[in-house]
Amino acid sequence: MRNCFILIGLLLVTPAGRYSAGDDARAPDSDLPRALGFDPESAATTATGDGHAVSFSRDIQPLLTKAGCNAGKCHGSFQGRGGLTLSLLGYDAQRDYEALFLAGRSRRVMPAAPDSSLILLKATGSIPHGGGRRLEPGSSAHRLLVQYLSEGCRPPDASDAELISIQVGQSLLEMQPAEQFTLTVTAHWSDGVSRDVTGWTLFDAREESLVSVTADGIVTAHQSGLSSITARFAGQVAAVSVVVRDGAGISLAGFNAANFIDQQAADMWQRAGVQPAVRCSDAEFLRRVSIDLIGTLPTPDEVRGFVADADLGKRNRVVEELLARPEFVDHWALRYSDLFRVHRRYVGDKGITSFGGWVRESIRENRPLDDMARDLLTAQGNLFSSGPVAYYFVDTKPEDLAETTAQVFLGVRLQCARCHHHPLEVWSQQDYYGIAAFFTRLETKDSGDEGRYGGFRGIRPVSHEVDSRRLTVAAAPALLGEEVSTEGVADVRVLLADWMTSPENPYFARNWANRYWAWLIGRGLVDPVDDLRATNPASHPELLDTLAQELIAHDFDPRHLIRLICASEVYQLASEIEPVRDIDGRLLTHRVPRRLPAEVYLDAINQACEVEESFPGIPTGTRAISLPDPSITSIFLTSFGRPLRNSPCECARVNAPDLTQTLHLLNSPELHDKVVSAEGRVAHWFANGGDRDGMIEELYLATLSRLPSDDEKQLVRELVAEAPTETDGCQDLLWALVNSAEFGFQH
């Protein structure tokens, strides 16, 4: 009899790839399971172990995800595989049930002989399967799927319990090399059921050279450092920080914590057993803080004066002086202009004056971060008189505005949820389109004269959805799962701005705290800096939370955050070119050198050579950090990674060195002309009666912000002596210093 059923089943099977969900001549029928002999009501208590029948949503979907069936490279891809298309990582239970059990004339299941169902034969490798063997015969996963088939394949239902959260037994693991630890994951559902789902959880290690994790959740430590393990189950995510300690205890006797930043970093050093670097020198600090705060090298006289100053509070004092410099506005307006994409391609010549002017004025006045966000999100009126209106001309579609708003102000990348449930987060399509719906009630007006004759180009809110802005997926305004009432609200964007800038919002303050940390330290506590998610945890979660609370407590004052970070001993640690521990700097034991931003680099060269830059159509002497947008042509800035401002992502700025940059510095006729300029630093020095040794010191101070060592002095004197003249020799030295890695990097 069994063989007869197998034969009937094989006759029903159609060629692979012929059918997929939704391609039947008749639509899936909710009564089809019963028609084939399934009886959902007869499902009995099964091997789930907690008195519940096997559920498609609670049991089978996680099984398929663990086996990789609905992964992006298998049936979870947008085009599917072998005629079967599943939702990515199982975010749509109803659709997947229909695809597996109803589509293709239900050819994948055999009601009378579950073991002979095509879904099992392929998964176990009993018949050819492009994805190979995904289930071991006799394994718990195999038995569970057989049980589900034999019980009647109960379909998902709206009344099914919802997964509320998952919890890993430990939030922090402290381990030693070669040590192992087995994680446990517990899932909690809305019907009160809690279950150990470790066997169905996907695990990932952030840095596998430090720690690794098996599919069963067994963590193995390899070398000292800081890493993390993420656990994913049925759309929920949890993370575990792992500190690997190698060696004996450390001594922090000479380390004097200036604030909570240092205290929390020191606690992590003790846990990891790593010794921090020493405090940087005064000259190194001055160069570092000058580049970070004003994008400008200190002058030789500033270096001499700062190093000679015996005041113990001089480092904090120089921070205050830099905050008051006009270059501070230039430098930080550049950062924000990159973020907000200030560019004439979106708003025209007059619009960029308005938009860029608003950015600069906000920096100059030290506008709170929440006020700036509110100005942009609720902007209305004429672009040519109200700069924030430009926000709605950089992006014009509601979907694009949703993505930009979430990434810029919350540090959340929602892009994946535009098409499906986010594979690495809890965000759904409803979350995505709920944010986008806030931007569907806007009308634009454009006189078409670019403001030349007093015309108008702007937006205004309306009380109804504008037809041209309807979303791909219908949705009402919602705040990442939180429904809001818009009745009687003239401008729904106000609701979004209120929620986003609220001190209770878990993302806004953390996002800005992380951005400022990355801008000053070189790497975010969450990295990438604009990708805050559970599967990308902060290296120091408590520190990020404390910085965010500090920002809230001081009314989102960005300069307070700058003072706090620059005053810390962590900020003032010496750099290490080749660290032997904490290689990537995640433990904050030292300063990680990073290349100067393109605009700062070009200005530094001009300052070192004492020449002025000439950009096309821009007054001579305009600094690169003051340029209005990237439309100003510059081979140097393009070569060294100036962003095009076509994306709000921090990754748009490329700071990684490459061969093109090296060749440009070595062969650029523009650089040669600056070095040998008759109006430049070297020519001017000797024309005013300066001597060789004084020139050598001056060049080191002007480029590296320090005096040469005795060995360097001797070597340089020999170099200058070999040149036809002292002027030629010192110009050769200036060229060499500008080409050096020490000059081109922040350290």
Side-chain angles (χ1 to χ4, degrees):
M1 180 64 70
R2 177 181 175 85
N3 291 336
C4 292
F5 281 126
I6 294 175
L7 178 60
I8 293 172
L10 292 175
L11 290 174
L12 289 174
V13 173
T14 56
R18 181 174 176 183
Y19 293 102
S20 62
D23 64 5
D24 273 312
R26 54 195 174 95
D29 188 340
S30 59
D31 291 331
L32 188 55
R34 192 183 302 278
L36 290 174
F38 298 141
D39 185 5
E41 284 77 13
S42 69
T45 300
T46 64
T48 56
D50 49 20
H52 292 79
V54 181
S55 160
F56 183 77
S57 301
R58 181 149 46 194
D59 302 302
I60 303 305
Q61 284 283 63
L63 181 156
L64 298 173
T65 301
K66 183 72 173 182
C69 302
N70 52 28
K73 62 183 179 180
C74 197
H75 300 294
S77 66
F78 72 93
Q79 78 272 28
R81 289 288 188 276
L84 174 62
T85 302
L86 301 175
S87 63
L88 183 63
L89 300 182
Y91 71 87
D92 191 336
Q94 185 62 46
R95 169 185 159 187
D96 291 350
Y97 180 86
E98 293 175 358
L100 286 165
F101 302 110
L102 305 184
R105 298 188 176 89
S106 302
R107 68 187 180 90
R108 297 183 177 89
V109 292
M110 293 193 65
D115 282 331
S116 299
S117 296
L118 187 63
I119 189 175
L120 281 172
L121 294 176
K122 283 200 169 187
T124 57
S126 300
I127 63 175
H129 178 218
R133 175 178 286 185
R134 312 311 300 176
L135 297 178
E136 291 296 328
S139 65
S140 58
H142 179 261
R143 293 196 306 271
L144 187 64
L145 189 52
V146 170
Q147 186 80 39
Y148 180 70
L149 294 171
S150 65
E151 285 182 350
C153 298
R154 175 180 172 269
D157 187 82
S159 62
D160 287 348
E162 179 183 354
L163 179 63
I164 302 299
S165 64
I166 64 172
Q167 182 179 7
V168 184
Q170 299 75 23
S171 59
L172 174 66
L173 287 179
E174 297 183 36
M175 306 177 70
Q176 294 184 350
E179 184 180 355
Q180 290 189 328
F181 186 89
T182 302
L183 298 173
T184 57
V185 182
T186 304
H188 305 281
W189 281 270
S190 58
D191 59 356
V193 171
S194 294
R195 184 186 297 171
D196 185 341
V197 294
T198 306
W200 311 113
T201 300
L202 299 177
F203 296 98
D204 294 292
R206 184 181 177 92
E207 287 90 10
E208 293 189 348
S209 62
L210 301 181
V211 295
S212 59
V213 61
T214 68
D216 299 322
I218 301 175
V219 181
T220 303
H222 300 296
Q223 59 177 311
S224 63
L226 179 63
S227 186
S228 61
I229 303 293
T230 55
R232 289 181 286 144
F233 174 81
Q236 294 289 328
V237 184
V240 180
S241 296
V242 184
V243 179
V244 183
R245 180 189 181 98
D246 185 9
I250 63 170
S251 173
L252 297 177
F255 182 80
N256 299 313
N259 51 37
F260 67 84
I261 294 174
D262 301 328
Q263 293 166 356
Q264 294 189 24
D267 179 63
M268 184 62 76
W269 297 336
Q270 294 282 13
R271 290 174 182 268
V274 293
Q275 191 76 34
V278 299
R279 203 182 202 218
C280 69
S281 67
D282 285 343
E284 189 174 5
F285 173 81
L286 182 62
R287 188 180 198 270
R288 176 184 303 173
V289 76
S290 296
I291 292 173
D292 282 339
L293 297 195
I294 63 173
T296 304
L297 293 176
T299 66
D301 287 343
E302 288 171 343
V303 177
R304 290 189 183 96
F306 187 76
V307 171
D309 191 347
D311 182 7
L312 296 179
K314 64 182 180 182
R315 295 195 177 192
N316 289 337
R317 188 189 70 236
V318 79
V319 169
E320 294 299 326
E321 293 172 353
L322 294 173
L323 289 173
R325 293 263 295 264
E327 296 95 331
F328 177 83
V329 176
D330 294 334
H331 185 51
W332 288 85
L334 173 65
R335 291 190 185 278
Y336 276 84
S337 294
D338 286 347
L339 191 62
F340 298 149
R341 287 175 289 167
V342 178
H343 200 298
R344 69 190 73 235
R345 79 161 71 94
Y346 306 113
V347 294
D349 293 334
K350 191 169 182 179
I352 196 176
T353 301
S354 174
F355 195 14
W358 173 81
V359 171
R360 293 180 62 83
E361 189 65 19
S362 298
I363 301 298
R364 184 179 296 108
E365 294 179 354
N366 194 35
R367 292 283 305 284
L369 296 168
D370 56 338
D371 284 357
M372 292 181 68
R374 183 178 293 276
D375 282 356
L376 291 169
L377 293 176
T378 62
Q380 59 180 297
N382 192 348
L383 165 66
F384 306 128
S385 58
S386 177
V389 172
Y391 189 72
Y392 292 92
F393 289 96
V394 175
D395 288 314
T396 57
K397 296 180 180 178
E399 292 91 342
D400 295 338
L401 283 163
E403 293 176 10
T404 295
T405 298
Q407 189 163 355
V408 169
F409 297 114
L410 303 179
V412 173
R413 297 182 180 181
L414 281 180
Q415 288 87 335
C416 289
R418 188 169 189 164
C419 301
H420 51 71
H421 191 288
H422 198 300
L424 301 177
E425 254 293 358
V426 297
W427 314 128
S428 67
Q429 280 188 291
Q430 290 304 312
D431 293 323
Y432 178 96
Y433 287 100
I435 294 293
F438 282 99
F439 303 108
T440 60
R441 305 180 186 186
L442 296 172
E443 282 186 342
T444 61
K445 179 181 178 181
D446 191 346
S447 62
D449 69 349
E450 295 290 341
R452 297 184 185 91
Y453 311 107
F456 185 93
R457 187 185 186 193
I459 60 168
R460 70 184 181 107
V462 294
S463 59
H464 59 280
E465 185 179 85
V466 179
D467 288 348
S468 62
R469 290 177 176 266
R470 283 185 178 167
L471 304 175
T472 305
V473 175
L479 304 168
L480 294 184
E482 178 185 340
E483 296 183 1
V484 295
S485 174
T486 60
E487 185 176 355
V489 179
D491 186 356
V492 296
R493 298 175 303 161
V494 173
L495 300 176
L496 176 63
D498 288 343
W499 167 80
M500 186 169 292
T501 59
S502 168
E504 283 72 42
N505 188 302
Y507 294 101
F508 186 80
R510 294 177 81 247
N511 166 58
W512 285 112
N514 190 52
R515 285 186 186 275
Y516 270 82
W517 183 270
W519 286 337
L520 294 171
I521 299 296
R523 177 188 177 125
L525 294 168
V526 175
D527 185 63
V529 70
D530 48 14
D531 193 13
L532 275 64
R533 51 182 164 83
T535 50
N536 186 34
S539 57
H540 297 66
E542 293 181 1
L543 176 54
L544 180 57
D545 289 340
T546 308
L547 286 169
Q549 291 304 314
E550 187 76 14
L551 189 57
I552 293 170
H554 287 79
D555 301 321
F556 295 100
D557 179 357
R559 295 194 189 187
H560 172 73
L561 206 57
I562 291 173
R563 292 185 183 99
L564 193 67
I565 295 173
C566 291
S568 70
E569 287 297 309
V570 167
Y571 178 82
Q572 299 178 36
L573 292 174
S575 63
E576 292 187 359
I577 305 300
E578 297 180 353
V580 294
R581 74 282 180 273
D582 187 22
I583 296 174
D584 60 1
R586 296 191 77 215
L587 286 170
L588 310 178
T589 59
H590 62 280
R591 178 77 167 197
V592 178
R594 66 187 191 276
R595 212 205 62 209
L596 297 177
E599 297 87 347
V600 175
Y601 206 161
L602 181 56
D603 285 343
I605 290 174
N606 293 334
Q607 181 179 334
C609 297
E610 278 194 339
V611 297
E612 294 182 333
E613 191 71 26
S614 180
F615 296 104
I618 300 293
T620 300
T622 300
R623 299 189 61 199
I625 62 171
S626 303
L627 293 176
D629 71 348
S631 66
I632 311 301
T633 303
S634 171
I635 296 176
F636 184 97
L637 296 179
T638 300
S639 300
F640 281 81
R642 175 179 62 176
L644 299 176
R645 294 185 184 169
N646 55 7
S647 168
C649 182
E650 287 282 350
C651 60
R653 178 175 289 277
V654 180
N655 275 344
D658 62 31
L659 183 59
T660 301
Q661 299 160 5
T662 302
L663 293 174
H664 182 86
L665 289 175
L666 289 173
N667 301 288
S668 168
E670 290 82 5
L671 176 58
H672 174 267
D673 291 344
K674 291 174 182 180
V675 169
V676 302
S677 171
E679 303 297 325
R681 183 180 296 274
V682 176
H684 186 263
W685 177 272
F686 286 109
N688 285 277
D691 64 345
R692 179 200 61 185
D693 288 349
M695 180 78 273
I696 291 173
E697 286 192 356
E698 189 79 1
L699 291 178
Y700 266 83
L701 291 169
T703 55
L704 309 184
S705 303
R706 65 171 177 84
L707 292 171
S709 66
D710 291 340
D711 289 341
E712 287 172 327
K713 284 182 182 179
Q714 182 60 35
L715 181 63
V716 168
R717 284 171 182 159
E718 294 174 2
L719 170 69
V720 173
E722 293 175 357
T725 66
E726 288 187 338
T727 299
D728 291 335
C730 288
Q731 288 173 345
D732 289 344
L733 172 61
L734 175 57
W735 181 87
L737 289 171
V738 168
N739 272 278
S740 69
E742 186 176 353
F743 176 79
F745 278 73
Q746 290 177 264
H747 44 80

